[in-house]
Amino acid sequence: MFMGHIGVPTKKLVKASMDTTITDTQKPFSLDPYHVSEEFGFILPAPLAELPPYYQPWMDIAQHVTELIYSHMLRSHILKMPLLNTQLLESHRELRLAHLALGVMTMGYVWQEGEDDTVKMLPRNLAIPYCEVSQRLGLPPILTHADAILANWRKRDPQGLFDMENLELLVTLPGGDSVRGFFMVTLLVELAAVPAIKSIPLVINGVQCGDAETVTRALEEFSQAIQGMTDALKLMHDVSYVVPVYVKPEVFYGIMRIYLSGWKDNSSMPAGLVYEGVQAEPMEYSGGSAAQSSLLHCFDELLGVKHEAMSGAFLTRMRNYMPPSHKRLIQDISLQPSLRGFVQQQACEPLTAAFQLCVTKLLALRNYHINVVSLFIIVPAARARQLRNQGNISQEETVSRAPRALEEKGTGGSDIMSFLKTVRDRTRDVFNLK
């Protein structure tokens, strides 16, 4: 499942990728220690769809969260749920499915009645096992990108393609087909990035041993993968309307977003949430965010994108919502010799062109993401404000149901357009190699 170990003899030279040489003081960089799948990257390969029978009370609710929310019965069902012992969860995949199921239940419990009737306390029969599973995984007790995207999929036909038609969710939230579309397109963006992830050790090892040709070839693979990510993102809702619409902006804004929102930097829950039986004081956690994906963090560290203080602080905090091994990979990439410095020193035209193409593709991805966010958040928010100002709050218009507290914020709590544009601008700064 995971990439094989690279044995590194000591006190002699060893061969690295593409015939480069690295001394014993510069061990080849490998993705192996970070639980990165050679086929799926950061995606959890073959997630479980069921837990052991003892945990069926969880799955019975988690697999019906949407219906229970719509019938306003989810909270009452959860309050009747038995307090289960988490020690019977043994494998990593069991823990990931448990975290996903408990996370979906938690989001539904908190937001069942919208932003005007939230809860102050998560009941102990949900809070205690959720925090125990979270501690074992090194994840926070809230639904994260690692849950909803990376561990929430299966193929309808196990032998079929990994594409929109053959993928389905393990658990879902209100929003119908748009929820599936949003989660699955995001999953395909992660999958498209796999060649870039696999190029990272080639780049780092090539820099360590001064092999400009190796680095150039790896960066060419890297830039092609980033283009593939942008192409995959267009499945969300291509702003040119060329491809099918898998996510309706009004459904994302008016129905889905609240269930992806957290209890930090959210005026609907300014005091946070008490996890009963865990601690008496409320805890604050951000909702799901694209910033919780390890992909762009790795890319920024490799390419030398330096973020300004406020944006950088938010991105650094989002790393606490990633599996610990993925967070460690980002940190370890940041400790490697500077690729940007290497490109400057080499003054090699093909290398410089390959590096700048990577930055160009990353910039284009971030620009496209800004366009998508405008379509899915800024435009619907303006429509919702217009309806309110006209005193025309109609349930016929889906955007009318959207929470006011999140009007132009990301589900992670950031001021989304300002944040995205700042991150984009810092990416552009990398072009200056002088």
Side-chain angles (χ1 to χ4, degrees):
M1 180 181 77
F2 297 118
M3 300 178 70
H5 288 274
I6 297 178
V8 185
T10 57
K11 298 185 180 179
K12 61 180 179 180
L13 296 180
V14 295
K15 281 289 189 179
S17 301
M18 295 190 181
D19 295 325
T20 57
T21 19
I22 297 176
T23 67
D24 62 331
T25 58
Q26 295 175 306
K27 295 180 180 181
F29 189 88
S30 165
L31 294 176
D32 181 74
Y34 307 103
H35 293 171
V36 177
S37 164
E38 193 161 45
E39 184 179 0
F40 296 110
F42 294 117
I43 298 168
L44 180 68
L48 296 179
E50 296 291 344
L51 290 172
Y54 173 76
Y55 298 102
Q56 196 59 41
W58 290 353
M59 298 307 296
D60 285 342
I61 296 176
Q63 292 172 340
H64 297 92
V65 161
T66 297
E67 305 97 286
L68 291 170
I69 288 173
Y70 284 144
S71 65
H72 303 275
M73 296 293 291
L74 179 62
R75 288 178 181 170
S76 61
H77 275 67
I78 286 174
L79 288 171
K80 297 173 187 174
M81 190 173 69
L83 174 59
L84 300 180
N85 184 341
T86 61
Q87 295 306 308
L88 299 180
L89 295 165
E90 296 179 352
S91 72
H92 179 76
R93 282 187 175 83
E94 286 179 351
L95 288 166
R96 291 290 290 272
L97 178 56
H99 201 265
L100 170 63
L102 295 167
V104 167
M105 283 191 275
T106 295
M107 304 314 269
Y109 188 90
V110 170
W111 300 115
Q112 175 181 290
E113 304 300 330
E115 67 177 339
D116 296 324
D117 186 15
T118 57
V119 296
K120 295 182 179 179
M121 181 180 292
L122 199 66
R124 63 188 299 114
N125 55 348
L126 176 54
I128 291 175
Y130 195 16
C131 287
E132 288 177 353
V133 170
S134 298
Q135 186 173 31
R136 289 175 67 182
L137 286 171
L139 291 170
I142 190 169
L143 191 72
T144 67
H145 178 89
D147 302 313
I149 308 299
L150 303 182
N152 188 21
W153 65 275
R154 66 179 161 198
K155 287 183 177 181
R156 289 168 174 159
D157 173 6
Q159 306 305 317
L161 298 175
F162 199 111
D163 60 18
M164 287 297 292
E165 285 64 41
N166 196 37
L167 290 169
E168 63 184 8
L169 299 172
L170 301 177
V171 296
T172 191
L173 288 163
D177 289 341
S178 286
V179 175
R180 175 183 171 271
F182 180 75
F183 287 170
M184 293 294 93
V185 170
T186 307
L187 184 72
L188 291 176
V189 172
E190 291 272 347
L191 185 69
V194 171
I197 299 169
K198 290 165 67 174
S199 295
I200 290 173
L202 299 177
V203 171
I204 291 173
N205 293 331
V207 169
Q208 284 185 344
C209 58
D211 187 340
E213 184 179 349
T214 291
V215 176
T216 300
R217 291 201 300 269
L219 289 178
E220 289 168 352
E221 291 284 331
F222 196 94
S223 62
Q224 290 176 18
I226 299 177
Q227 179 62 55
M229 292 168 64
T230 304
D231 294 341
L233 183 58
K234 290 180 180 179
L235 293 172
M236 191 78 73
H237 188 124
D238 189 356
V239 293
S240 65
Y241 301 99
V242 172
V243 299
V245 174
Y246 284 108
V247 188
K248 294 180 179 179
E250 64 274 17
V251 174
F252 176 80
Y253 185 79
I255 298 175
M256 291 170 53
R257 288 186 78 223
I258 192 169
Y259 298 103
L260 304 177
S261 304
W263 25 100
K264 180 177 174 61
D265 301 323
N266 188 337
S267 60
S268 295
M269 295 182 66
L273 181 68
V274 173
Y275 289 70
E276 185 183 23
V278 178
Q279 70 173 47
E281 295 300 315
M283 294 189 267
E284 296 184 330
Y285 294 105
S286 297
S289 168
Q292 294 173 6
S293 169
S294 302
L295 293 173
L296 294 184
H297 291 254
C298 288
F299 297 175
D300 284 347
E301 295 294 354
L302 188 73
L303 296 174
V305 179
K306 304 299 182 186
H307 297 290
E308 67 173 34
M310 187 173 296
S311 299
F314 175 76
L315 287 167
T316 299
R317 182 161 59 82
M318 289 297 100
R319 295 180 185 181
N320 295 327
Y321 293 75
M322 302 173 186
S325 60
H326 298 172
K327 175 183 176 180
R328 192 169 65 251
L329 172 60
I330 298 165
Q331 294 169 332
D332 288 352
I333 292 172
S334 74
L335 299 175
Q336 303 305 312
S338 167
L339 167 61
R340 189 164 176 263
F342 177 73
V343 174
Q344 290 171 314
Q345 292 165 3
Q346 293 291 311
C348 168
E349 188 173 334
L351 174 61
T352 300
F355 177 82
Q356 292 189 329
L357 183 59
C358 286
V359 179
T360 298
K361 295 297 186 181
L362 182 57
L363 189 62
L365 174 60
R366 284 183 158 144
N367 273 321
Y368 191 82
H369 188 210
I370 288 172
N371 291 338
V372 171
V373 168
S374 178
L375 182 67
F376 278 74
I377 297 177
I378 305 305
V379 173
R383 177 60 178 161
R385 280 196 303 272
Q386 180 186 41
L387 291 171
R388 282 201 305 274
N389 291 339
Q390 293 172 349
N392 184 23
I393 305 301
S394 168
Q395 289 301 306
E396 294 178 7
E397 290 224 29
T398 306
V399 294
S400 297
R401 308 179 209 174
R404 293 180 298 276
L406 292 172
E407 201 153 80
E408 291 189 7
K409 283 182 172 286
T411 46
S414 64
D415 292 318
I416 190 155
M417 288 305 279
S418 173
F419 167 75
L420 291 175
K421 288 179 178 179
T422 300
V423 168
R424 185 266 318 274
D425 292 344
R426 296 292 79 78
T427 305
R428 186 186 290 121
D429 291 346
V430 179
F431 276 118
N432 181 14
L433 289 171
K434 297 180 180 179

